[in-house]
Amino acid sequence: MGLFSKEGTLKILFFGFVLGIIFWGGFNTALEATNKEAFCISCHEMKNNVYEEYTSTIHYSNRTGVRATCPDCHVPKEWIHKIIRKIQASNEVYHKLLGTIDTREKFEAHRLELAKHEWARMQSTDSRECRNCHDFESMDFDKQEARSANRHEQATEYGWTCIQCHKGIAHELPEGYDPADDTPEAPKESDE
Amino acid sequence: MLNTKKTMAFTHKSLIRKLTLMTLLVLTAVMFSLPAMSVESLRGDDPLNSHSVKVGKYKVKTEEGGYERNFKKQPPLIPHKIDKYRITLKNNGCLKCHSEKAYKKEDAPKVGDSHYITRDGKTLKHISRRRYFCVQCHIPQVDSDPLVENTYENEE
């Protein structure tokens, strides 16, 4: 009887509420824990290959000391996008168990395929993770090298996105891949 | 057994000979180096065991339009920063802009035609191996005064 009394309903509501907080909090804490660089490089597949290469790039060490870590570039910030990426990422655990890329040779053999996934993902989101930190609007083209400013002006004019020109920004490019094949070209004057 | 004794005796003798020779060599070396020689090098006549003067921190210069060339067939100086481009066995970061395929898009000068020609005069479709390591010949410049005075005049 007690359950259906007014008091009982309140109790259930209360317990549900508390459980919800615990569950939700725990879930998000787990989500956070898997969103640290230390977690990513707990797998040697990630540590020995991509991490080592990344340590000699500007996003690891630079003049101002602002770093971009693995999740900054690879895991979306907004909750819903993050969940989707995490579900996709369980595929990585599966391949870890299979040993798909457990040696340097196997990694190199798969690298083009993995890189292509990342490029496609970034292309489809207009390089959202890069734009979490960088933004054409906030770039002072006058302070950039002419080479950069010229290309960035074209990019804003024709709606290109960062990853079209900045492949291999944090890791070595796959063997035999020529970025010049994919970099966009401004249409000729006469075409317009 | 006999054999080993023989070789032992032999090594013993030659060891003494070697030691004498070495002592002699060391002695002559010491004798010749006694009067302190004053050969001036780029670091001035600082004795070798003192710390050299710290060089300033210089930044790589960017030069719009490129640097002037000083003689025919000079590998042109690089007018931009190059720290982010890697040249490895697998990839050459410079070709991202300077290759046949890329130069128009990037509005960059194409590598010299000579870069496609092999030792034997054959023209290749890709960069010749002897031109692969670009920074062997091309270098950027920093904003600093020359270490020594230079009286070189440009070739006409």
Side-chain angles (χ1 to χ4, degrees):
Chain A
M1 181 202 147
L3 261 183
F4 296 100
S5 68
K6 199 177 161 198
E7 199 186 317
T9 322
L10 274 179
K11 256 189 202 155
I12 288 179
L13 273 179
F14 180 72
F15 271 119
F17 187 63
V18 172
L19 270 178
I21 290 178
I22 293 174
F23 181 70
W24 186 247
F27 183 64
N28 269 323
T29 312
L31 214 59
E32 273 316 303
T34 57
N35 218 18
K36 297 252 158 64
E37 186 169 279
F39 169 73
C40 306
I41 57 177
S42 66
C43 283
H44 73 278
E45 284 93 338
M46 300 288 106
K47 187 170 185 203
N48 298 357
N49 302 302
V50 275
Y51 174 73
E52 290 234 318
E53 294 162 7
Y54 149 77
T55 54
S56 60
T57 69
I58 190 150
H59 287 103
Y60 181 80
S61 153
N62 56 54
R63 181 178 59 92
T64 48
V66 183
R67 271 188 65 192
T69 62
C70 327
D72 287 331
C73 287
H74 288 295
V75 185
K77 280 251 179 327
E78 283 119 75
W79 198 83
I80 184 68
H81 298 305
K82 183 158 37 179
I83 295 292
I84 293 172
R85 178 68 183 94
K86 290 280 170 183
I87 292 167
Q88 286 168 348
S90 33
N91 172 53
E92 291 175 27
V93 179
Y94 172 66
H95 280 278
K96 162 87 182 171
L97 295 175
L98 284 183
T100 312
I101 53 168
D102 59 3
T103 64
R104 178 76 187 172
E105 288 71 30
K106 285 197 204 165
F107 179 79
E108 287 295 341
H110 276 83
R111 173 167 242 169
L112 183 58
E113 187 198 327
L114 301 181
K116 276 186 173 156
H117 293 160
E118 266 321 282
W119 292 331
R121 189 181 66 78
M122 291 189 183
Q123 179 80 41
S124 72
T125 61
D126 188 12
S127 319
R128 182 180 49 216
E129 280 67 52
C130 313
R131 288 185 297 106
N132 279 339
C133 295
H134 299 273
D135 182 6
F136 279 143
E137 303 277 290
S138 318
M139 283 186 189
D140 183 346
F141 289 170
D142 285 338
K143 288 204 174 128
Q144 295 189 342
E145 279 183 53
R147 291 184 307 160
S148 319
N150 291 344
R151 290 297 266 165
H152 290 158
E153 264 161 23
Q154 292 176 353
T156 43
E157 186 173 348
Y158 301 112
W160 299 329
T161 189
C162 321
I163 198 62
Q164 287 178 273
C165 299
H166 289 290
K167 296 190 172 71
I169 184 85
H171 321 289
E172 280 174 25
L173 283 170
E175 178 162 18
Y177 172 75
D178 184 356
D181 286 337
D182 292 339
T183 38
E185 181 171 12
K188 306 231 163 32
E189 307 286 288
S190 51
D191 292 351
E192 285 171 19
Chain B
M1 267 304 175
L2 249 177
N3 239 350
T4 23
K5 242 185 196 167
K6 227 179 179 176
T7 30
M8 267 174 72
F10 175 73
T11 42
H12 191 66
K13 241 191 225 158
S14 70
L15 198 72
I16 291 180
R17 219 181 295 149
K18 268 190 197 146
L19 273 176
T20 340
L21 224 125
M22 246 151 68
T23 333
L24 271 173
L25 266 173
V26 169
L27 277 178
T28 23
V30 167
M31 261 161 61
F32 273 100
S33 60
L34 273 181
M37 283 190 289
S38 53
V39 175
E40 194 166 317
S41 69
L42 279 184
R43 48 183 275 153
D45 48 9
D46 283 2
L48 261 182
N49 55 1
S50 75
H51 288 289
S52 52
V53 186
K54 261 215 180 110
V55 287
K57 279 188 180 161
Y58 302 113
K59 292 215 166 118
V60 169
K61 278 203 295 187
T62 50
E63 181 90 0
E64 227 164 295
Y67 292 100
E68 187 195 353
R69 298 188 203 188
N70 299 319
F71 57 92
K72 232 193 267 169
K73 298 262 170 158
Q74 176 196 1
L77 296 166
I78 306 176
H80 55 71
K81 287 189 278 183
I82 58 164
D83 48 352
K84 58 190 135 173
Y85 313 126
R86 275 164 289 183
I87 301 175
T88 66
L89 278 179
K90 292 186 284 164
N91 287 294
N92 183 324
C94 311
L95 294 179
K96 181 187 161 204
C97 296
H98 289 290
S99 73
E100 176 87 50
K101 228 187 276 173
Y103 80 100
K104 275 198 202 128
K105 292 184 191 176
E106 301 288 343
D107 202 10
K110 189 171 72 121
V111 294
D113 293 334
S114 61
H115 295 43
Y116 291 91
I117 300 172
T118 63
R119 240 190 344 193
D120 323 313
K122 254 195 0 213
T123 306
L124 302 173
K125 279 224 180 72
H126 53 82
I127 295 280
S128 163
R129 283 291 165 251
R130 56 185 189 151
R131 289 282 196 274
Y132 190 76
F133 295 103
C134 320
V135 287
Q136 196 183 321
C137 304
H138 300 283
I139 45 164
Q141 296 290 292
V142 293
D143 223 339
S144 76
D145 296 325
L147 284 173
V148 286
E149 200 196 338
N150 188 346
T151 56
Y152 179 82
E153 274 172 34
N154 287 2
E155 193 186 328
E156 282 313 306

